[in-house]
């Protein structure tokens, strides 16, 4: 088994290098500039040609460390993980203090997956899908309170993959446990969502969207409507699962459930040039299961989850909308009696060293020989060239 994240990333790249050309010949939908650019970014990631910052220990002179610039590619599992971690920090900064949140999962019937996958305008479809999830939960809460005047706090995140990497669009929604009466400006909490109501409401909203987006598939949609008399699958979640009182625990929770890649580098067990073997934790068995698939199938499972260009997979609805969040944050904090430290932003972009330490358990910028902090030695940009050189600065008397 390969050890070390760098070697695992090189193996991941090799899979694409070996089969990318043949893959796009067999799957012309991916044979365009958008996907080619994303794959090329990934293949050139962690290479000196893409730019780097070099650190050296100026105390003992025995250690140096190179940090490659991010490719920011959607097909890159390395940079994608960093981007996802940053996104989770932003989510944590957008939660209302004093309110419990639960994670709700809304799925689609298996029969609808090919329709989603082959839709000519996935950006529009996914947007409507996310809007429908929010509208569903808002109607559920208002039904619980026998009113149409309550607004909810919802953060919606779209996932397109299952644990084994197959295409399975679904929504993860962080829902504040309560509703704000907009006329009376009063907060009404809840601790329970009726499962039957949630499933029926989700069926109502999803099928309405499907009829609008797929007018030529009404027969199939009507069949699903008739068969699923008890509604569609939805997981209501519970507040105890979301650790809102622990910031570090919250970030770990969000990253685990909302930012997982289709197939992580560490889960790939073997690649022999023809097939890729990997494992995943099964929902049904609760155990690690292994799968071995062709290299082209593997590439397809990775690329089918790249969202349309400029599409935002994370969106804020209701009280969470950016335009009104500050206003309602103050109002809800007052209603709940939390008058201290209003609008504290926890959003702090994680540093490379901190992110590396979370993954590897050590600070990469500390010298492995003497333990002292290394100094920034060089910065090389792929377009601008060498933009910083400590050695030259010292020779010219400019210092650090």
């Amino acid at each position: 088994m390969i050890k070390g994240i760098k070697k695992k990333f090189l193996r991941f790249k090799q899979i694409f290098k070996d089969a990318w050309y043949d893959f796009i010949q067999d799957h012309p939908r991916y044979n365009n500039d958008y996907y080619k650019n994303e794959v090329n970014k990934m293949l050139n990631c962690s290479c000196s040609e893409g730019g780097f910052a070099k650190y050296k220990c100026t105390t003992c002179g025995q250690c140096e460390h190179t940090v490659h610039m991010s490719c920011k590619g959607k097909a890159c599992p390395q940079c994608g993980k960093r981007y996802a971690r940053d996104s989770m920090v932003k989510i944590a900064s957008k939660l209302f203090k004093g309110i419990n949140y639960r994670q709700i999962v809304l799925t689609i019937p298996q029969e609808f997956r090919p329709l989603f996958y082959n839709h000519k305008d996935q950006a529009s479809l996914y947007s409507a899908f996310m809007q429908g999830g929010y509208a569903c939960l808002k109607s559920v809460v208002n039904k619980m309170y026998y009113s149409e005047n309550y607004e909810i706090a919802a953060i919606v995140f779209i996932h397109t993959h299952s644990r084994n990497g197959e295409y399975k669009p679904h929504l993860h929604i962080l829902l504040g446990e309560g509703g704000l009466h907009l006329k009376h400006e009063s907060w009404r909490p809840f601790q329970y969502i009726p499962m039957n109501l949630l499933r029926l409401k989700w069926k109502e909203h999803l099928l309405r969207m499907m009829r609008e987006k797929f007018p030529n598939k009404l027969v199939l949609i009507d069949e699903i409507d008739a068969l699923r008399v008890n509604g569609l699958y939805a997981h209501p979640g519970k507040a105890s699962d979301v650790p809102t009182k622990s910031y570090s625990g919250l970030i770990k929770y969000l990253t685990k459930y909302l930012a997982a890649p289709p197939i992580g580098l560490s889960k790939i067990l073997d690649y022999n040039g023809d097939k890729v073997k990997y494992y995943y934790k099964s929902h049904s068995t609760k155990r690690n299961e292994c799968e071995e698939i062709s290299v082209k199938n593997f590439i397809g499972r990775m690329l089918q989850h790249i969202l349309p260009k400029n599409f935002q997979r994370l969106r804020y609805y209701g009280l969470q909308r950016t335009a009104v969040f500050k206003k309602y944050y103050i109002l809800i904090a007052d209603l709940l009696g939390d008058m201290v430290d209003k609008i504290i932003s926890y959003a702090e972009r994680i540093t490379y060293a901190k992110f590396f330490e979370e993954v590897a358990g050590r600070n990469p910028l500390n010298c492995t020989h003497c333990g002292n902090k290394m100094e920034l030695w060089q910065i090389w940009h792929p377009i601008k060239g060498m933009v910083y050189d400590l050695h030259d600065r010292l020779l010219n008397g400019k210092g650090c």
Side-chain angles (χ1 to χ4, degrees):
M1 182 182 294
I2 292 179
K3 294 184 178 180
I5 197 68
K6 184 176 181 180
K7 291 182 179 179
K8 292 176 181 178
F9 189 32
L10 289 174
R11 178 176 58 184
F12 182 85
K13 287 184 176 183
Q14 194 62 49
I15 294 172
F16 277 80
K17 288 179 181 179
D18 291 346
W20 171 240
Y21 179 77
D22 290 338
F23 174 81
I24 58 177
Q25 300 306 310
D26 293 345
H27 301 84
R29 69 177 290 167
Y30 297 107
N31 191 4
N32 58 56
D33 290 341
Y34 177 54
Y35 287 103
K36 288 178 180 178
N37 289 337
E38 293 302 327
V39 170
N40 285 333
K41 287 179 187 178
M42 178 271 293
L43 292 176
N44 293 322
C45 189
S46 297
C47 296
S48 297
E49 292 80 3
F52 63 86
K54 182 175 291 186
Y55 292 80
K56 284 190 176 183
C57 180
T58 55
T59 304
C60 71
Q62 298 296 311
C63 188
E64 68 176 44
H65 182 79
T66 301
V67 181
H68 293 98
M69 294 182 181
S70 170
C71 72
K72 298 181 174 64
K74 296 181 178 67
C76 181
Q78 286 283 79
C79 298
K81 190 172 183 179
R82 169 68 180 272
Y83 169 79
R85 178 62 168 72
D86 284 344
S87 297
M88 297 308 104
V89 172
K90 292 177 182 177
I91 289 179
S93 72
K94 289 281 191 175
L95 300 183
F96 289 101
K97 292 180 66 177
I99 294 178
N100 291 325
Y101 283 79
R102 64 175 60 213
Q103 181 191 178
I104 292 176
V105 180
L106 302 176
T107 67
I108 66 173
Q110 183 176 350
E111 295 87 346
F112 288 168
R113 294 176 196 169
L115 303 182
F116 269 61
Y117 182 76
N118 294 308
H119 195 272
K120 62 181 180 180
D121 186 3
Q122 281 190 328
S124 172
L125 177 64
Y126 288 163
S127 294
F129 185 42
M130 298 173 77
Q131 176 68 34
Y134 156 70
C136 165
L137 296 185
K138 182 177 179 180
S139 64
V140 167
V141 172
N142 278 290
K143 185 74 173 178
M144 289 165 56
Y145 293 156
Y146 302 98
S147 170
E148 296 297 325
N149 295 314
Y150 283 91
E151 184 58 276
I152 62 172
I155 302 175
V156 182
F157 197 99
I158 186 170
H159 259 191
T160 56
H161 60 84
S162 61
R163 291 189 176 184
N164 69 342
E166 291 183 341
Y167 185 74
K168 188 179 179 181
H170 58 283
L171 301 176
H172 291 262
I173 304 178
L174 286 180
L175 176 67
E177 289 196 327
L180 180 69
H181 195 289
L182 297 178
K183 292 183 178 180
H184 302 156
E185 292 191 341
S186 58
W187 177 260
R188 186 173 177 180
F190 63 80
Q191 295 181 331
Y192 169 75
I193 293 181
M195 172 67 84
N196 292 338
L197 175 61
L198 176 61
R199 295 186 61 167
L200 288 171
K201 282 293 183 181
W202 177 228
K203 172 185 171 181
E204 173 189 332
H205 285 269
L206 179 64
L207 295 189
R208 180 188 302 155
M209 184 210 78
M210 293 296 293
R211 290 187 172 99
E212 292 176 358
K213 293 293 183 179
F214 301 95
N216 61 334
K217 297 294 181 179
L218 295 181
V219 173
L220 172 62
I221 297 170
D222 289 342
E223 288 178 356
I224 297 296
D225 192 1
L227 288 172
R228 308 295 176 91
V229 293
N230 294 322
L232 302 180
Y233 177 81
H235 180 64
K238 51 186 178 181
S240 59
D241 289 340
V242 185
T244 52
K245 296 181 180 180
S246 167
Y247 179 66
S248 60
L250 176 63
I251 294 299
K252 290 179 180 179
Y253 174 86
L254 294 176
T255 304
K256 177 181 178 181
Y257 285 98
L258 305 184
I263 301 171
L265 292 179
S266 61
K267 294 183 178 180
I268 300 175
L269 301 174
D270 186 48
Y271 169 57
N272 61 13
D274 295 317
K275 294 186 177 182
V276 181
K277 185 177 182 180
Y278 63 94
Y279 76 91
Y280 64 95
K281 188 171 183 179
S282 170
H283 261 303
S284 57
T285 66
K286 308 300 181 184
R287 297 180 301 182
N288 289 338
E289 305 285 350
C290 288
E291 255 192 69
E292 189 173 44
I293 58 177
S294 70
V295 61
K296 291 181 184 179
N297 196 352
F298 178 83
I299 291 177
R301 288 193 179 184
M302 298 303 296
L303 293 186
Q304 66 187 2
H305 306 299
I306 295 180
L307 295 176
K309 190 174 183 179
N310 299 323
F311 187 86
Q312 298 296 319
R313 69 166 60 239
L314 169 67
R315 301 190 180 188
Y316 302 92
Y317 293 94
L319 305 176
Q320 300 282 175
R321 288 183 298 119
T322 303
V324 300
F325 175 73
K326 185 174 181 178
K327 168 188 172 182
Y328 288 124
Y329 189 107
I330 295 174
L331 174 61
I332 292 174
D334 288 343
L335 292 174
L336 298 177
D338 187 0
M339 302 293 291
V340 184
D341 296 332
K342 295 173 187 168
I343 308 301
I344 292 181
S345 175
Y346 293 102
E348 175 186 351
R349 192 173 189 275
I350 187 170
T351 64
Y352 165 80
K354 185 176 180 181
F355 182 72
F356 190 102
E357 193 169 7
E358 283 186 0
V359 176
R362 66 179 181 87
N363 189 325
L365 304 185
N366 288 342
C367 177
T368 57
H369 291 270
C370 67
N372 287 315
K373 184 177 180 180
M374 291 188 281
E375 297 287 344
L376 178 61
W377 192 257
Q378 290 178 331
I379 299 178
W380 188 85
H381 190 273
I383 298 176
K384 300 178 181 179
M386 191 67 70
V387 296
Y388 180 87
D389 192 315
L390 180 58
H391 181 66
D392 287 346
R393 293 176 66 88
L394 293 174
L395 289 178
N396 294 325
K398 296 181 179 180
C400 298

